[in-house]
Amino acid sequence: MSTLVLTIRPQPGSAATVAAGSEAGLCIEACPLFEIRPLAWMAPPPDSIDGVLLGSANALRHGGLGLGNFRGKLAFVVGTATASAAESAGLQVARCGQGQLQPLVDTLDPPLRLLRLTGADHVPIIPPAGITIDTRIAYESVPLPIPAALAARLQQGALVLLHSAVAASHFTEQCDAHGVPRAAIRLAALGPRIASAAGYGWAEVRSAPEPAEGRLLALATDMCHET
């Protein structure tokens, strides 16, 4: 029997992972354990901002009408999907990093006044001297329970892809709540911090060498071939 490979990230991220996996020859099933919901936020005056800092395309999908105030502004983003969404929102992508925002911010030249549009669960950023960051919360990621049918399948073993520390913690809690033995599950995480958030007792936990979707899928492929 082939290994169940599962992505639990919210849509449309899950669909993107399934599609990318298919291109790489990896059959992935999607069961989103999170739902992204917009939150009301107050936009700062456009003339107080030089650029917009974005770590996820979710900020653009759920940012609402407030985003219109910043059309034409520079955008500093992580990931090609976020870059594409930023351009569609009328922003000018000035820098596109990979994986995390902090390394990207560390490369920027001051003076710079940034609006960080992000989710309720986010990693704090320490700006370099001469760079200010005004953080506004535009959306939240609401956890969902594991369906009973999936919990039963997980009892037989699976390889689960983890894209965030929040997802790792939630998946662990759900497995424990549904009596899914950790020893039946292997985890492929986007990075060491995410792997650590999953805790201990799993059959195997490995991290991608770089926080990029392609590297995570390559890791998952290797893990499937090793079974």
Side-chain angles (χ1 to χ4, degrees):
M1 185 190 312
S2 61
T3 300
L4 168 63
V5 183
L6 187 70
T7 174
I8 61 172
R9 64 191 305 208
Q11 294 289 18
S14 270
T17 294
V18 169
S22 179
E23 291 182 2
L26 188 64
C27 183
I28 302 174
E29 292 188 31
C31 182
L33 294 187
F34 296 88
E35 180 182 356
I36 304 299
R37 298 175 185 173
L39 295 174
W41 63 284
M42 183 175 294
D47 59 4
S48 71
I49 296 298
D50 299 315
V52 183
L53 184 63
L54 299 163
S56 170
N58 285 323
L60 298 161
R61 297 186 188 108
H62 302 279
L65 296 177
L67 279 172
N69 296 322
F70 305 98
R71 291 186 65 88
K73 295 285 188 181
L74 299 177
F76 304 92
V77 308
V78 165
T80 55
T82 308
S84 178
E87 291 175 346
S88 296
L91 300 170
Q92 301 180 47
V93 176
R95 193 79 58 86
C96 181
Q98 295 295 328
Q100 299 177 346
L101 279 175
Q102 186 68 62
L104 172 65
V105 171
D106 289 341
T107 68
L108 302 182
D109 297 322
L112 201 57
R113 301 168 300 173
L114 299 176
L115 165 65
R116 182 188 184 188
L117 204 56
T118 188
D121 293 310
H122 58 274
V123 177
I125 294 175
I126 302 175
I131 295 178
T132 61
I133 299 178
D134 185 347
T135 300
R136 304 295 170 105
I137 308 301
Y139 65 92
E140 63 179 344
S141 183
V142 180
L144 305 173
I146 289 180
L150 177 59
R153 292 180 67 195
L154 290 173
Q155 300 272 354
Q156 306 304 313
L159 172 61
V160 180
L161 310 183
L162 300 176
H163 285 77
S164 73
V166 172
S169 297
H170 178 56
F171 181 73
T172 298
E173 292 169 358
Q174 285 296 299
C175 283
D176 292 348
H178 286 80
V180 176
R182 297 189 189 187
I185 307 296
R186 295 184 299 152
L187 303 177
L190 196 60
R193 184 179 66 86
I194 297 171
S196 178
Y200 302 95
W202 306 97
E204 184 180 13
V205 182
R206 292 170 62 179
S207 299
E210 296 176 3
E213 179 84 319
R215 302 304 293 270
L216 177 62
L217 294 177
L219 171 63
T221 300
D222 288 345
M223 293 175 72
C224 284
H225 290 163
E226 291 170 4
T227 58

